[in-house]
Amino acid sequence: MHNKISYQHYLIACVLFVLPIVIANVYYIDDLGRAIDGYTGWGRDGRPMADVIMIALNLGKTLTDLAPLPLLISAALLAWCFYRYQQKFIGGAGLAAFIVPLSFLGNPFFVEVLSYRFDSLTIVSGVAFCFLSVTIGDYRVVKRNLLATAAMVAAIASYQVMLNLLVILVLIELVRQVAEGEMPQNILRSATERLGQLLLSLGSYFFIILPLSLRKQNVVNHPGVASGNVLATLRDNMQHYSDFIRSALFGDATLPIFCILTGAMLLGTLYLSYVYLKARGRGLTQWLVAGYCTCSALITPFCILGMLLLLNNSIAGFARVYIGVSGYLLYFSTLLYFVAKKTGIRLLNLMIVLPLLYTFPFMYAYGNALRQQNILDHDLVQSIKQDTAEYSEREYYIVFNGNRRESAVLHHAAKKYPLINPLVVNYFSNWYFPFRYMQINGLEQRYPQPSLGIADRPIELICASRSLKKTLDYNLYVKQNTLTVDFAKYSCP
């Protein structure tokens, strides 16, 4: 790619990346409720900008299913982010210069963000605000700081974990300035401005936006900021997140891989700092800049989790919260590109491609597994609906026992890509959204809320129930106003 890199190049790449989700055409968790009832409600979780974005797209507060439009807009926004980043941070032409921004997509956890028919746009908009904050034009001091701060606030109010990405982008900006040999006074002034923008945006969010929008929830999937024994919470959260990342990626090889990448980053920043000191002298400000640059390689890995560690419980199983991995890979690729450019060792750029060589095929394997499992799940709902046709809708609770049949495509894909297992949701277990899934596929029965205790002991319920039907996939039981679908086909003593 020797011609000038254009926005269209990135748009094609991003559309190819999201294409498997478009083809799969599957409702994903929260989509089930929003497609049926058209509610917003992100503001209750401290994400009012998400409400603003979706209300604007739908021209009103009642949402409708516009898929794949939100995802296509998301692809266009990502392409804009990468194009602006390439212009502002990389420059030049060639394949390596083109691929560096795309390394953001090398994060397999980001796939869950794109799986949502509604939330894909709200979260990707947050990503766009992050990139906007560090690529704003050269305005006067007051204007550029206000615009950058406003973009940061919008990013955090779209999805709080964007703070992790913001910090990494600020660190990348510092590395770029060192690589380009800017005056140390200018670098320190820029770093001070960025720190002020981050602090002001956090203050605006926590003391103005959050009190106006947040509705306190005492649920584990919407945790608040940790209190009490904070050190114990940090330790427990770190353990939960690291366990999930390890199991979802490369098993025991995951930690060594991240250590090798981080070690390479540290060596890269040391090299850039050495070249900078050699070119700019060894005064106090030069040493400060070199020290900040080197430390950025050690700070970036912590930003993979960042603020997630400060919550009162972990939400490790939600792949969408690992936006920091995208920032980490972007830092790594950008740094490597600068080092390759400085040293003339172009082969270093081959390492930039490695995360994409994993994630692009993963994306297509995931899309096919998602679609094939949805076919089986849809047929399963129709079977349950037929077998319970004599029972009135909205009058019976449904309880599940055991695991539903897994698609052979899903089973095979998950052997190579373990993350696929938690990403392809099981809609036949005792939680809320299975009932939304059944509803959207034509079966409406009542949800046994946890407070009722109906689904607490499904085995006891089966043994106290009357057998209705035995099929290849499940046994069906009834007791008063409760239907039990037993995939395990338990035999009572």
Side-chain angles (χ1 to χ4, degrees):
M1 184 177 292
H2 298 291
N3 297 326
K4 185 178 179 181
I5 297 170
S6 69
Y7 169 77
Q8 287 78 8
H9 293 137
Y10 286 114
L11 182 60
I12 292 170
C14 290
V15 169
L16 288 175
F17 191 76
V18 304
L19 185 60
I21 303 298
V22 175
I23 294 173
N25 192 30
V26 172
Y27 289 97
Y28 197 80
I29 313 180
D30 297 63
D31 294 338
L32 296 163
R34 290 195 166 95
I36 294 170
D37 295 333
Y39 58 85
T40 52
W42 288 281
R44 293 196 301 268
D45 300 328
R47 301 172 55 197
M49 183 54 69
D51 285 332
V52 171
I53 292 164
M54 294 309 294
I55 289 170
L57 180 64
N58 285 267
L59 302 178
K61 291 185 178 181
T62 301
L63 306 186
T64 54
D65 180 12
L66 301 177
L69 181 59
L71 186 55
L72 295 177
I73 296 174
S74 298
L77 282 175
L78 287 171
W80 175 86
C81 292
F82 302 152
Y83 176 63
R84 286 291 296 148
Y85 185 89
Q86 203 282 333
Q87 284 188 317
K88 182 82 173 182
F89 285 74
I90 306 300
L95 185 60
F98 172 72
I99 290 178
V100 169
L102 288 176
S103 62
F104 185 93
L105 298 178
N107 171 16
F109 297 106
F110 191 67
V111 171
E112 190 185 37
V113 171
L114 303 175
S115 299
Y116 286 94
R117 298 164 86 95
F118 294 84
D119 241 335
S120 57
L121 181 56
T122 66
I123 298 176
V124 169
S125 294
V127 171
F129 284 125
C130 290
F131 278 84
L132 176 62
S133 70
V134 295
T135 58
I136 286 172
D138 296 325
Y139 299 107
R140 293 182 181 274
V141 175
V142 174
K143 185 175 182 180
R144 72 168 177 259
N145 278 282
L146 286 176
L147 289 174
T149 301
M152 290 180 179
V153 172
I156 299 170
S158 298
Y159 200 31
Q160 293 93 331
V161 294
M162 292 302 162
L163 176 61
N164 299 340
L165 178 58
L166 282 170
V167 174
I168 294 176
L169 287 174
V170 169
L171 295 175
I172 293 174
E173 183 177 51
L174 172 64
V175 170
R176 176 191 65 80
Q177 292 169 326
V178 171
E180 294 180 354
E182 292 188 13
M183 294 293 292
Q185 295 85 353
N186 293 340
I187 295 176
L188 292 177
R189 182 173 63 250
S190 175
T192 303
E193 283 190 14
R194 291 301 187 198
L195 179 60
Q197 292 162 9
L198 285 168
L199 292 175
L200 184 57
S201 61
L202 282 174
S204 300
Y205 177 75
F206 280 105
F207 295 108
I208 300 175
I209 293 176
L210 204 58
L212 292 174
S213 63
L214 183 66
R215 299 294 179 270
K216 189 173 182 180
Q217 302 183 57
N218 294 312
V219 290
V220 294
N221 58 339
H222 293 104
V225 178
S227 58
N229 193 341
V230 177
L231 289 179
T233 302
L234 286 172
R235 184 187 64 247
D236 293 343
N237 284 346
M238 176 66 82
Q239 186 65 51
H240 292 151
Y241 287 113
S242 60
D243 286 347
F244 179 78
I245 292 173
R246 184 172 62 251
S247 65
L249 293 181
F250 313 108
D252 291 338
T254 305
L255 181 59
I257 288 173
F258 275 101
C259 288
I260 290 171
L261 293 179
T262 303
M265 286 159 51
L266 182 59
L267 290 175
T269 53
L270 283 170
Y271 172 76
L272 291 181
S273 297
Y274 167 76
V275 173
Y276 184 81
L277 290 171
K278 189 175 180 180
R280 287 293 180 185
R282 292 172 172 80
L284 178 60
T285 53
Q286 288 89 336
W287 277 106
L288 279 174
V289 168
Y292 290 154
C293 179
T294 304
C295 288
S296 69
L298 301 176
I299 297 171
T300 298
F302 288 99
C303 293
I304 290 176
L305 299 177
M307 65 166 294
L308 293 170
L309 297 174
L310 301 176
L311 301 179
N312 55 28
N313 63 265
S314 79
I315 43 177
F318 299 113
R320 60 188 176 273
V321 303
Y322 299 98
I323 300 289
V325 176
S326 291
Y328 177 87
L329 294 174
L330 187 61
Y331 180 103
F332 173 79
S333 299
T334 305
L335 174 63
L336 205 65
Y337 177 81
F338 288 138
V339 172
K341 191 175 180 179
K342 288 278 187 183
T343 60
I345 307 174
R346 303 296 182 183
L347 288 176
L348 289 174
N349 288 321
L350 292 176
M351 294 181 66
I352 299 173
V353 185
L354 295 180
L356 293 173
L357 290 179
Y358 178 86
T359 306
F360 261 84
F362 162 79
M363 186 72 173
Y364 281 77
Y366 167 66
N368 287 321
L370 191 66
R371 184 176 68 254
Q372 291 305 122
Q373 187 61 53
N374 185 62
I375 292 171
L376 286 187
D377 290 349
H378 172 271
D379 291 346
L380 188 55
V381 172
Q382 302 311 308
S383 178
I384 296 172
K385 181 179 179 180
Q386 182 178 350
D387 291 339
T388 59
E390 62 185 285
Y391 297 94
S392 301
E393 286 192 320
R394 304 185 188 90
E395 293 186 8
Y396 286 80
Y397 297 107
I398 292 185
V399 173
F400 297 101
N401 181 57
N403 295 316
R404 53 87 166 96
R405 182 189 293 268
E406 188 178 88
S407 163
V409 175
L410 167 61
H411 181 74
H412 175 69
K415 288 181 180 178
K416 184 172 184 179
Y417 303 107
L419 180 58
I420 287 179
N421 261 332
L423 285 179
V424 179
V425 180
N426 180 6
Y427 290 112
F428 296 91
S429 57
N430 299 308
W431 58 300
Y432 175 70
F433 279 106
F435 294 84
R436 286 298 206 179
Y437 183 83
M438 288 187 287
Q439 183 183 12
I440 211 166
N441 284 289
L443 174 59
E444 296 193 44
Q445 291 293 4
R446 301 170 68 185
Y447 166 53
Q449 298 183 25
S451 59
L452 299 175
I454 295 174
D456 289 348
R457 294 179 292 275
I459 296 298
E460 294 181 16
L461 187 59
I462 289 170
C463 294
S465 300
R466 175 170 60 89
S467 177
L468 283 182
K469 183 91 174 184
K470 294 187 176 181
T471 73
L472 185 63
D473 290 313
Y474 58 82
N475 293 340
L476 186 63
Y477 300 88
V478 63
K479 179 185 178 184
Q480 297 175 350
N481 64 341
T482 302
L483 296 162
T484 303
V485 180
D486 178 26
F487 297 110
K489 298 184 177 181
Y490 180 78
S491 297
C492 297

